[in-house]
Amino acid sequence: MKKIWRWLLAALAFCAAPAGAEDKPYVVLALSGGGIKGYAHIGVLRELEKEGVGVAGIVGTSMGAIVGSLYASGRTPAELERIVMDVNLGELVTASGGNYFNLSDKATRDISMIRPEIYTDAHNKVAGPLGFVAGTSVLEYIAQLLSHVTVTDFRRLPIPFAAVATDLVSGEKVVLRRGSLASAVRASMSIPGVFDPWEINGRLLVDGGMVSNMPVETAKELFPGYPVIAVNLTSELEPREKLSTVFDVVSQSITILTMQNVRREATLADLVISPGVKEYPILGTSPAVEIIQQGRDAAVKALPQIRALLKKAPRRPVKEKELAPPKPPHVMGVHVVGVPEKMGKEIERELLKVWLGRPVPMKEIVAASANIAKREDVRSVDYDLLNTERGVIVLLKVQRFPAHRYSLGGYASTYSDMGWLVIGSRRYDLFTPGDTLQSSFYLGQRWGADFNYFWDMDVSHSSFWEAGLSASHFRIDASGAPLEWQRYNFDVQRHFTLHERLRLSAGVSATAARRVEGGESANYVAPFLEATFNLMDNPDDPVNGWLLNARSMWPSETGTMLMRLSLTGRRRISSKLMAELQGGFAEGDMDDKRLFSAYLGAREELYSLAEHPIEAERFAWWRAKLRYPLSQTIFGNVIAEIFGGQGYAWGSDGAEIARPWEVGVALCAPRRLIDGKLYAVYTDRKEWRFGVSVGVPNWDAFHLF
């Protein structure tokens, strides 16, 4: 009798239970590309969830692939909103934030911020670059956001997904359904001429918008039996009077390329939702909140059509093909391709020690890929999981730079006569696999040349040797007393990482220096040590944290220790306003030769002292800034800056020599384009000074310490 009652109660509970996840109407989404207009997809998704609409599959192109993949992987619309609010798209795309704080690592410093850059292979045949920015930082960021995904068959995601790209060689549409989800998204968003094309399985892929910007046809093919809701972000063509910037031209060109395939595929959709995002640029900057709201408004407006469509929609997912339940994956091997054999075997051994026999550690795989990508000769690292009867083989696919890289850069400032044109080159695999020879030639009133050879690098470039040979001519006009020297230097040092945030370098240098006027000379040997402690929250786009760099050397000429400390801190005050604090201390030796004096202003510690630095035994300085982005472009931010700072200089007897200060405003042009600044500075001498600087200075090429 008790058994009968239990069965009856179970039956009643089943009948009274609310509709489950299977008992609701399901549709398929086709999400179009559109740059930052793609934030509107998040608003549409939020309203569809609110309406109780099930999503049986998503097909995305470009920005639609980014949003679609994150949602398909289990991210909620609320999470997606937080992601787009927190990320600085311009800094992420150009990865210029990381270069800004990379103070001393010559092996990983960007070869050219401006990017007149040429790659050649081992036979001196031109091999790139193929886009304005590499986009590897975007790949790494998306990989981090998708590190919870443990499958490489996109059909096995919480919501089945596919990304659309274009084969640059054949012009064919390529539908990506397996492999690295982040890599598929990176390929789908490769706007030609802006991003480098992305290689997957031997095919060179660019933005899917070239052939299918709103992939309704693919959605119908992959998920038959479902109504397809398409979200269209394609703009109409702008009249001539509205084409006033290069970004307007790029946006108009993309619209011309995509509008024909969008119009054709719109006729195949069961419903097209078109958010009002016409006024927003594809590559510029606009408030994410506004664009997301446009998506919500468009979805709400379309609710009558959506509800009518849902009446015909399946009440449970229709399987395109019954997939066998996946076995719990365990790592049974690691295979690395795209690198010299010896290097690949070393990486495989290191990773197998940690991963063998364990369930697939996706977060660790993403972290290992990013770690290998830190190597100076590595352009990007992709991954895949190969299922076998015995377990999973983790496949790491490394793309290295071509054998040679040549660049053109430089620096110029009206605040001082420091200025030079820089011709740079890097050559890989010169003597051993993975080694690097970096050469730089500085042309100007102050000439210089340096050659740095890096070898014996470990898997993540965290430990390696460096040998350097350099020559330079420098001039300092300290308080009206000019000083000119020629210097020739050779050094050997070892770089290593004690912690992911602490890097050390130690070595010894031999220097011969000769004064141009007077013939005085100084020949000395100096052991040196350098440490960098990085507490920034994000190396590519830091918004909070500190970075400390300390350098010291003991020249045999003086027998005293010379030291230089620098500190940089950042804190986000609001969604746009950023506070930044910089400061430092230098200890020199103010002897008769003046070779090792500490020169306040020589490295633009205070802009107003750059032309005539203050010679001292030691000095300290600080500068505080408030930075506000006026606009954002694919090349970086245009920033308005208010700053103020002060310096303190002391003589060899310990007495204070000077306490200069300055306040001012600056307009900073995008770092990736020209890294230009327009200054207006008011000094302690009660005078205004105006100036312009362009490019990235490399003070180490000229200053002795």
Side-chain angles (χ1 to χ4, degrees), residues 150-152 178-180 328-337 345 348 351-352 355-362 365 382-397:
T150 59
V151 298
T152 54
R178 74 165 319 279
S180 161
H330 287 74
V331 177
M332 57 82 60
V334 177
H335 187 46
V336 180
V337 297
K345 294 298 182 184
E348 292 168 4
L351 296 179
L352 273 175
W355 294 347
L356 186 62
R358 291 177 54 195
V360 175
M362 278 311 299
I365 292 173
D382 198 3
Y383 65 85
D384 201 351
L385 303 179
L386 306 179
N387 294 296
T388 70
E389 290 294 326
R390 296 170 52 199
V392 169
I393 297 176
V394 179
L395 177 63
L396 297 178
K397 297 177 282 187

Side-chain angles (χ1 to χ4, degrees), residues 265-281:
E265 296 202 51
T267 62
L268 305 176
D270 295 277
L271 174 64
V272 177
I273 298 175
S274 299
V277 293
K278 179 182 177 181
E279 64 184 87
Y280 301 105

Side-chain angles (χ1 to χ4, degrees), residues 106 452 466-470 489-493 507-510 528:
K106 288 177 286 190
N452 296 282
E466 175 188 353
L469 180 65
S470 64
N489 182 80
F490 175 75
D491 62 74
V492 178
Q493 58 184 305
V508 62
S509 65
F528 59 88

Side-chain angles (χ1 to χ4, degrees), residues 154-169:
F154 304 164
R155 297 175 299 172
R156 294 189 183 278
L157 291 170
I159 299 174
F161 173 76
V164 175
T166 305
D167 188 315
L168 184 61
V169 177

Side-chain angles (χ1 to χ4, degrees), residues 225-304:
Y226 291 102
V228 174
I229 296 179
V231 182
N232 180 24
L233 306 176
T234 305
S235 303
E236 295 298 321
L237 293 176
E238 297 287 355
R240 181 170 180 173
E241 56 269 18
K242 290 192 176 183
L243 302 178
S244 56
T245 69
V246 65
F247 307 108
D248 296 332
V249 174
V250 172
S251 179
Q252 186 88 329
S253 300
I254 293 173
T255 300
I256 293 171
L257 288 170
T258 59
M259 63 188 307
Q260 295 300 323
N261 66 63
V262 167
R263 288 174 179 173
R264 179 181 62 83
E265 296 202 51
T267 62
L268 305 176
D270 295 277
L271 174 64
V272 177
I273 298 175
S274 299
V277 293
K278 179 182 177 181
E279 64 184 87
Y280 301 105
I282 292 176
L283 300 177
T285 176
S286 294
V289 176
E290 292 183 11
I291 300 177
I292 292 171
Q293 187 60 47
Q294 290 293 340
R296 297 189 68 172
D297 292 345
V300 169
K301 185 178 179 180
L303 280 179

